[in-house]
Amino acid sequence: YSAMLKAGLNPEEIISRMCYMRDRYGFSTKVLAASLQTLDQIKTCIDIGVDGITLKDVLFEKFIENNSMTLEREENFLKITG
């Protein structure tokens, strides 16, 4: 994502087209968005239909910080996996 922005490209448009092609032609390919830097980029990728994202721990924490259900599930998971 960040590399596309730095190159002057529109990552939202490019990734959206990738997801469209995957869905339209029934490809089994997964679309992964990497190097996300902001909460808006995460939300955009989710809305577009990206299969997975990579992001820094700090951004992940920021993304889930106000979601009590996610935090509860994370806490339960950590207890189980110990």
Side-chain angles (χ1 to χ4, degrees), residues 6 11 14 16-17 20 25-26 28 35 38 45-46 50 52 61 69-70 73-74 80-82:
K6 288 177 186 174
I14 294 168
S16 181
R17 286 183 184 193
Y20 173 78
Y25 299 108
S28 61
S35 300
T38 69
C45 286
I46 291 169
V50 167
E61 294 294 332
M69 184 183 293
T70 300
R73 299 295 191 281
E74 178 187 31
I80 293 169
T81 60

Side-chain angles (χ1 to χ4, degrees), residues 9-34:
L9 302 172
N10 181 339
E12 183 176 340
E13 180 182 328
I14 294 168
I15 296 168
S16 181
R17 286 183 184 193
M18 289 177 181
C19 290
Y20 173 78
M21 286 180 57
R22 176 203 58 208
D23 297 342
R24 176 166 182 169
Y25 299 108
F27 296 145
S28 61
T29 302
K30 302 292 183 196
V31 177
L32 174 70

Side-chain angles (χ1 to χ4, degrees), residues 1 4 15 31-36 41 45 50-55:
Y1 202 102
M4 284 189 246
I15 296 168
V31 177
L32 174 70
S35 300
L36 302 176
Q41 291 172 355
C45 286
V50 167
D51 297 297
I53 58 174
T54 65
L55 47 105

Side-chain angles (χ1 to χ4, degrees), residues 40-75:
D40 284 339
Q41 291 172 355
I42 294 171
K43 292 173 186 173
T44 295
C45 286
I46 291 169
D47 291 343
I48 289 172
V50 167
D51 297 297
I53 58 174
T54 65
L55 47 105
K56 295 179 181 178
D57 290 344
V58 127
L59 190 55
F60 175 72
E61 294 294 332
K62 195 173 187 181
F63 181 68
I64 66 167
E65 74 184 2
N66 292 320
N67 187 326
S68 60
M69 184 183 293
T70 300
L71 294 173
E72 179 184 317
R73 299 295 191 281
E74 178 187 31
E75 185 177 312

